[in-house]
Amino acid sequence: MSKADDSLHRRPDLRAARPVPSLQGITEMAARDRAYHDLRYRILMGRLAPGTTLLETELAGLLNLSRTPVREAVIKLAEEGLVEVRPRHGVTVKPLTVKDVADILDIFSALEVRAVELVARIGLPATEWRQLERLASDMERETARGDIAAWSELDDEFHAHIVALCGNDRLQEALGACWGQQYRARLCIVPLRPSPVQSDLEHRGILEALKLGDSALARLRHQQHRDRADAQQLHLLKSHLGTNGMA
């Protein structure tokens, strides 16, 4: 078995491209990592609202940590575009705007389309095909039930699973950074989303292209899927945020 083949049979990090915020295992982390994951969780889940400004000392008190790990965490969050740091003025959670989300989706979708193309080119192992088939069926079940929140979580897992098989770690890291910046927007629109019947059909089409190993077809179908889904997300977000397009 070649090195490339062997890499396909190792269990992928399914959340590499879509690191959904979680506090799981946070108590065992080093202080710097604990500060980063805690603050990121609070920001993405809306517990630190857009526009909130806190001094570094206040953040340290909030997290019950010293200022050094908090400062390091803030630098990383600023690099991800989630906060703005102004010397002597504190740390501000960046507002959510339609333009920002549109810019992020331009990058995120282009990278994800490339990842799907790579998976088709490499070939999809049978075990991973069965897992993706199960996820597609689970999404269709939640669509029939009308549980959009459950469907949205499965949708994340479906796309993350495919991307995790692309064999390009740098691409996955770039996707992860973009994902965090638009996660807040995704949460906002879950209650507004229509029944995702069209997405379910498009997922089946993408799976068919992957099973065939047709990289051109996989790229085309995923591009069409992203174009439609992104347009819908931006429309719903604009409706949610109101005329100023900001929250």
Side-chain angles (χ1 to χ4, degrees):
M1 181 180 293
S2 69
K3 183 176 180 181
D5 290 338
D6 180 61
S7 68
L8 284 175
H9 288 81
R10 294 198 299 268
R11 190 65 177 167
D13 178 2
L14 300 185
R15 284 301 183 186
R18 297 183 182 226
V20 173
S22 171
L23 295 179
Q24 183 176 1
I26 195 170
T27 56
E28 286 77 39
M29 295 179 182
R32 177 183 60 185
D33 295 332
R34 188 159 72 250
Y36 167 74
H37 285 284
D38 196 338
L39 285 174
R40 183 176 181 274
Y41 180 86
R42 292 172 190 253
I43 293 169
L44 296 186
M45 300 304 291
R47 297 186 181 183
L48 283 176
T52 298
T53 298
L54 294 170
L55 297 174
E56 192 177 278
T57 52
E58 292 175 313
L59 286 174
L62 179 66
L63 303 180
N64 196 28
L65 291 168
S66 66
R67 292 176 62 181
T68 298
V70 170
R71 184 180 303 117
E72 293 173 345
V74 163
I75 291 172
K76 188 173 181 181
L77 291 168
E79 290 173 349
E80 293 180 10
L82 293 175
V83 301
E84 180 181 6
V85 182
R86 294 191 299 159
R88 299 183 298 279
H89 291 280
V91 179
T92 301
V93 179
K94 281 194 171 182
L96 189 65
T97 71
V98 173
K99 184 182 186 308
D100 285 342
V101 175
D103 290 347
I104 293 162
L105 286 176
D106 279 344
I107 301 168
F108 184 86
S109 293
L111 291 173
E112 190 174 88
V113 168
R114 176 58 174 166
V116 170
E117 181 182 19
L118 289 174
V119 173
R121 184 178 300 172
I122 294 169
L124 193 63
T127 53
E128 304 302 343
W129 162 257
R130 288 192 292 270
Q131 175 67 1
L132 289 168
E133 179 77 12
R134 181 189 67 78
L135 287 169
S137 296
D138 288 347
M139 279 187 282
E140 291 161 355
R141 181 194 67 228
E142 298 304 337
T143 297
R145 290 178 177 176
D147 192 337
I148 304 302
W151 180 92
S152 184
E153 291 181 5
L154 289 165
D155 179 58
D156 286 345
E157 187 176 350
F158 177 84
H159 286 277
H161 198 124
I162 295 175
V163 170
L165 296 166
C166 77
N168 187 324
D169 292 340
R170 291 181 183 273
L171 188 153
Q172 292 189 55
E173 289 173 5
L175 276 167
C178 293
W179 175 247
Q181 293 180 57
Q182 62 91 53
Y183 186 80
R184 289 181 295 168
R186 187 176 177 88
L187 285 185
C188 287
I189 68 168
V190 167
L192 307 175
R193 296 187 72 149
S195 179
V197 172
Q198 184 60 36
S199 285
D200 290 340
L201 292 173
E202 290 166 359
H203 290 156
R204 288 293 182 181
I206 293 165
L207 277 179
E208 179 185 32
L210 290 175
K211 189 174 184 179
L212 292 171
D214 189 330
S215 60
L217 183 61
R219 180 179 183 86
L220 173 64
R221 288 183 174 176
H222 199 76
Q223 183 68 65
Q224 291 172 336
H225 173 59
R226 291 292 349 155
D227 286 348
R228 185 197 59 78
D230 291 353
Q232 181 187 74
Q233 180 171 340
L234 292 171
H235 173 73
L236 293 175
L237 183 63
K238 189 173 182 179
S239 299
H240 173 78
L241 296 181
T243 55
N244 65 353
M246 180 183 296

